[in-house]
Amino acid sequence: MARSCNFDRQEKLILAMELFWQKGFAETSISDLVGHLGINRFSLYNSFGDKQKLYRECLSFYLDNYSFGASDTLLHEKAGLVEIEAYLARFVALQREQKYGCFMQNAVLEKSLDDESVLQECQRLFCRLQTSFTQVLQDCQARGELLVNVQPHQVAAFLVLQLQGIRVLGKAGEYELLDNAFAVLQGYLGTLNTKV
Amino acid sequence: MARSCNFDRQEKLILAMELFWQKGFAETSISDLVGHLGINRFSLYNSFGDKQKLYRECLSFYLDNYSFGASDTLLHEKAGLVEIEAYLARFVALQREQKYGCFMQNAVLEKSLDDESVLQECQRLFCRLQTSFTQVLQDCQARGELLVNVQPHQVAAFLVLQLQGIRVLGKAGEYELLDNAFAVLQGYLGTLNTKV
DNA sequence: ATCATTCTTGACTGATCGTTTAGATATGGC
DNA sequence: GCCATATCTAAACGATCAGTCAAGAATGAT
């Protein structure tokens, strides 16, 4: 056989993702990547194909490993309105830490128009988010915790929209606006609860 | 004196804005601009300074002339919850037409991190939006149309967040998600009304 | 009509872009 | 140890990038 690769591919993929996440596709040059990843130019091409392919792979990795990270609260069986509210609260708080915003959202705004596959990947996340929220809300309703006239899939869509809005205001550093908006959102979620 | 400029500066500024709006800062080259504006490379530099300056001027022009375009409904004196709802409905509908999203939002996500003045311009719009909504809601409350326990500036912040979320989902082509989310938003606005 | 001034033009700068090539180096099976 | 194979390295590719320059063309006051 032959010589084996002397770096960890996934480790380098994560480094590339970080760079694209921070700087976007266009503003990240191959030279930037070479420097940040610490591997040779050709090795980068050999391992990941061209810039587009690497970007797409980074996006996929982000979607599978970073995007819905705070969702443990939502996925356990007995999750309800309280958990949704806690999830959103943590998501709002997260904006003060993640200065670079959301890689997926950055990708939608920068590249969805000229790269169909990027758009599809992002839509896949929206679908996944809506499905998760819908599931939790349906369970709530089954347990009698959620008003019967509420449509789970509609509220789920509404929550997905909230996440996107929060991300934008977070990237813009509009933390006070965020806190005020979240107070209203909290109030709304309260009105859905049968127990109050 | 001397020779006068043989093109309309503002007309060319609008053309530049369109291009930056569609393609973003990084993906728009000076050559692209030269082609789209139909003026010479040097004339462009002579009239608008460098690429950064031109971009910033385009952003300012957008903020002053395009961003709050559908706001006529909100600015007249007797505007209330019905007008806010109508404004949001039109804003949702607008997403199916404006494929390139919001120039300001694109700017926030692409350039706010490495250009402080871009960030400030965008924050200026957020402030303006919140102020307008707050004014309308305060007037509502004064007329007894809005529940007294509602905080106008908080709901205004909430509405600004909705606009941003709508824009993101619009750019992602998530029209069904948008419609479902809007239905919920509509329902929420209804609960604020004293008349119902 | 003259002339200073300003705009227009197209070629040009050095730098950087994404990508590729050829040759040196290391690996694993025999 | 040897060979086949794959990876690594440095240099280079043509193209394009943002920005500039010198020379010609048009203007308006005199």
Side-chain angles (χ1 to χ4, degrees):
Chain A
M1 288 295 289
R3 184 175 176 175
S4 60
C5 190
N6 66 352
F7 59 85
D8 180 33
R9 192 178 184 282
Q10 179 164 308
E11 173 194 321
K12 299 302 180 185
L13 182 65
I14 292 174
L15 288 172
M17 183 197 69
E18 287 173 359
L19 212 57
F20 278 133
W21 190 350
Q22 291 171 29
K23 307 181 52 162
F25 177 82
E27 284 292 338
T28 302
S29 70
I30 299 292
S31 296
D32 290 337
L33 288 162
V34 166
H36 192 67
L37 271 61
I39 61 176
N40 184 270
R41 212 176 182 74
F42 182 83
S43 298
L44 195 151
Y45 276 90
N46 195 39
S47 289
F48 300 103
D50 63 14
K51 195 181 172 187
Q52 292 269 356
K53 277 185 192 153
L54 174 56
Y55 182 78
R56 281 196 283 259
E57 192 170 348
C58 288
L59 179 60
S60 290
F61 190 85
Y62 176 88
L63 294 180
D64 292 333
N65 299 280
Y66 287 74
S67 62
F68 206 41
S71 67
D72 304 338
T73 17
L74 288 182
L75 294 178
H76 76 75
E77 209 168 319
K78 284 273 179 177
L81 287 174
V82 175
E83 282 73 20
I84 288 181
E85 190 184 311
Y87 172 73
L88 291 172
R90 266 201 290 155
F91 194 74
V92 170
L94 185 70
Q95 305 311 312
R96 285 185 160 86
E97 302 162 25
Q98 286 189 2
K99 302 285 179 190
Y100 304 122
C102 167
F103 187 13
M104 187 275 305
Q105 189 175 89
N106 296 348
V108 167
L109 264 69
E110 184 182 2
K111 293 219 49 87
S112 66
L113 289 175
D114 55 53
D115 190 331
E116 182 72 21
S117 65
V118 165
L119 178 61
Q120 286 171 1
E121 277 288 284
C122 296
Q123 289 177 333
R124 192 166 65 86
L125 176 63
F126 288 130
C127 186
R128 188 147 50 95
L129 285 167
Q130 190 186 17
T131 303
S132 299
F133 281 132
T134 303
Q135 185 64 53
V136 173
L137 291 165
Q138 280 174 345
D139 292 348
C140 281
Q141 223 164 29
R143 293 196 301 271
E145 296 167 14
L146 183 66
L147 294 175
V148 289
N149 62 329
V150 168
Q151 305 274 4
H153 78 282
Q154 285 191 336
V155 175
F158 176 73
L159 292 174
V160 173
L161 189 145
Q162 305 309 305
L163 295 180
Q164 297 312 308
I166 290 167
R167 278 294 204 187
V168 173
L169 294 184
K171 186 134 186 187
E174 292 283 358
Y175 303 127
E176 197 180 327
L177 210 62
L178 260 181
D179 290 336
N180 281 319
F182 180 67
V184 175
L185 187 57
Q186 225 170 355
Y188 168 72
L189 289 176
T191 66
L192 302 181
N193 202 322
T194 56
K195 293 176 182 170
V196 184
Chain B
M1 289 296 288
R3 182 174 178 177
S4 60
C5 190
N6 65 355
F7 59 85
D8 181 32
R9 192 178 183 281
Q10 178 164 312
E11 172 194 322
K12 299 302 179 184
L13 182 65
I14 292 174
L15 288 172
M17 183 198 69
E18 288 173 358
L19 210 56
F20 279 132
W21 189 350
Q22 292 170 28
K23 306 181 56 164
F25 177 83
E27 284 291 342
T28 302
S29 71
I30 299 291
S31 295
D32 289 338
L33 288 162
V34 167
H36 191 67
L37 270 61
I39 61 175
N40 184 269
R41 205 179 187 77
F42 185 83
S43 298
L44 194 151
Y45 277 91
N46 194 38
S47 289
F48 300 104
D50 63 14
K51 195 182 172 187
Q52 292 269 357
K53 277 185 192 153
L54 175 56
Y55 182 79
R56 281 197 282 261
E57 192 171 349
C58 288
L59 180 59
S60 290
F61 191 85
Y62 176 87
L63 294 180
D64 292 332
N65 299 280
Y66 287 74
S67 62
F68 207 39
S71 68
D72 304 337
T73 17
L74 288 182
L75 294 179
H76 75 75
E77 209 168 319
K78 286 272 181 181
L81 287 173
V82 174
E83 282 73 21
I84 288 182
E85 189 183 311
Y87 172 72
L88 291 172
R90 265 201 290 158
F91 194 74
V92 169
L94 186 70
Q95 305 312 311
R96 286 185 158 87
E97 301 162 24
Q98 285 188 1
K99 302 285 180 192
Y100 304 122
C102 168
F103 187 13
M104 188 275 306
Q105 188 174 89
N106 296 348
V108 168
L109 266 70
E110 183 182 3
K111 297 227 37 97
S112 67
L113 289 175
D114 55 52
D115 191 331
E116 181 72 20
S117 65
V118 165
L119 177 61
Q120 286 172 1
E121 277 286 286
C122 295
Q123 288 176 335
R124 192 164 66 87
L125 177 62
F126 288 132
C127 187
R128 188 147 51 96
L129 285 167
Q130 191 186 15
T131 303
S132 298
F133 281 132
T134 302
Q135 186 64 54
V136 173
L137 291 165
Q138 279 174 344
D139 292 348
C140 280
Q141 223 163 29
R143 292 196 301 270
E145 296 168 14
L146 183 66
L147 295 174
V148 288
N149 62 329
V150 168
Q151 305 275 5
H153 77 284
Q154 285 191 337
V155 175
F158 176 74
L159 292 174
V160 173
L161 189 145
Q162 305 310 305
L163 295 181
Q164 296 312 308
I166 289 166
R167 278 294 203 186
V168 173
L169 294 184
K171 186 134 182 184
E174 291 283 357
Y175 303 128
E176 198 180 328
L177 209 61
L178 260 181
D179 289 338
N180 281 318
F182 181 68
V184 175
L185 186 57
Q186 224 169 357
Y188 168 73
L189 290 176
T191 67
L192 301 182
N193 203 323
T194 55
K195 293 176 182 168
V196 184

